[in-house]
Amino acid sequence: GQSNMAMTVNRAKDFEKEQAAADLPQVRMFTVISGASDKAEEDCKGVWLVCAPDKVAVFSAALFFCGREIHKTLGVPVGLINSSVGGTPIESWISPEAQHASPELKAFFEAAKQMDTKFDATAAKTKFEKDLAKWKEIAKAAKEAGKPVPLAPKDPVALRERKGNVGGLFNGKIAPLIPYALRGILWYQGEANTTESKANFYQHQLPLLVNDWRKRWGSEIPFAWVQLPNFTRAGDGWPIVREAMLKTLKLPKTGMAITIDIGEQKNIHPSNKQEVGRRLSLWALSSVYGKKVESASGPLPAGHEIHGDKITLRFTHADGGLKAKGGDLTGFMIAGEDKQWKRAATQIEGDKVIACSPEIGTPVAVRYAWQDWPECNLTNGAGLPASPFRTDDWK
């Protein structure tokens, strides 16, 4: 994935406490340090590290906290392979052959081609050098005045090379791992695909990635991902990518860690990676290893019926019954044919939520947590949050 998978343990919360408890010689991590490539590579660079207090700082936090739970529960050695690059889109991680053969991505490539045509590498480099020189002056003045130094400009040409364009990171950082024996794959990405021009393609790209990787490994490897958390980002991109992740659960042997309650409003790299890893491990322990857990997932929508002025919504993974965390149930909106959304009055009945509004006599659609930073509190009895969703397909 991208930066939230690359994010290391020393950047997660409670690092000193985690470091002190990291004497786990049967947990080991290999980090792929090779870059993008224009062809599928057969080998990559990296080194296996044994988990210890002086090594754990550089482990992928989300991956480590998941692996640690598996190790503690099963009592077996756990090997972890981290292949991730910050700021990279999903199209960098799917084989170019699979992407170009996908009819659903034809429009994506047409738009990308137009963008490439408009990109002038020489002009971009010249502008970057001017911006960098100006930034150095501002940074020097800020340091001398004891003020915060603003972020340095980024080289757009170097950024394009690092992302590897279509399939470049698959070629350099995934292909070399095939056919290494894997028990499961975890994916933490999506932030880079939340722009208006990209978000709607994610519903095709994520299942394509899963199916293509499985085909190349020759096995239906269990595959789970982290749904994007709550975060302040204007526009519909975050809800749409979250929805694409929810839709991809239609593939067999897949799972999703819902994190709509543990994001940070202005930090795209939330620090509570312990809970991200724990939720991934619940899926793995239950679905992959057959262990009994309190719940393997937060509630997922499973259909709805409309009766008069009410919509009844059904959920799976309502283990222990649906709950409203911390007070009255919030986060549901309801609309009629006019597509005007109103806050819904709701009540919970076991594994169902009944929604209505005095302003809407004949409702046709419901949305839950359909914002970048929603107010929502539906959970199951295990305290795991429900996934954002909608029953409509309106723009």
Side-chain angles (χ1 to χ4, degrees), residues 41 46 63 75 81 86 114 132 163 180 186-187 194-195 207 210 218 220 227 229 264 290 295 324 335 343 357 381 386:
E41 301 293 344
L63 186 57
I81 300 175
Q114 291 181 5
L132 184 63
K163 293 176 182 180
Y180 204 95
L186 304 177
W187 177 250
T194 57
T195 60
V210 175
E220 197 173 59
Q227 191 182 48
E264 296 176 23
S295 183
R343 188 177 298 277
S357 169

Side-chain angles (χ1 to χ4, degrees), residues 304-313 335 361-366 391:
H304 68 281
E305 291 91 31
I306 300 173
H307 299 287
D309 64 346
K310 295 180 174 62
I311 298 183
T312 300
L313 301 139
T362 308
V364 298
V366 171
T391 65

Side-chain angles (χ1 to χ4, degrees), residues 161-173:
E161 292 175 352
R162 181 167 63 86
K163 293 176 182 180
N165 297 319
V166 173
L169 293 175
F170 170 85
N171 286 336
K173 298 178 77 72

Side-chain angles (χ1 to χ4, degrees), residues 359-380:
E359 299 179 69
I360 301 174
T362 308
V364 298
V366 171
R367 291 182 176 184
Y368 173 71
W370 194 263
Q371 288 108 10
D372 52 357
W373 181 266
E375 290 185 16
C376 57
N377 64 345
L378 181 65
T379 71
N380 60 18

Side-chain angles (χ1 to χ4, degrees), residues 9 15 18-30 47-60 63-65 67-68 71-72 78-80:
V9 174
F15 169 58
E18 301 294 1
Q19 184 181 37
D23 186 14
L24 300 168
Q26 287 195 319
V27 176
R28 313 192 175 192
M29 186 172 292
F30 181 95
V47 62
W48 281 100
L49 293 179
V50 177
C51 184
D54 64 336
K55 296 290 193 301
V56 74
V58 298
F59 282 23
S60 159
L63 186 57
F64 168 67
F65 292 127
R68 183 179 67 179
H71 169 62
K72 286 183 175 180
V78 174
L80 306 164

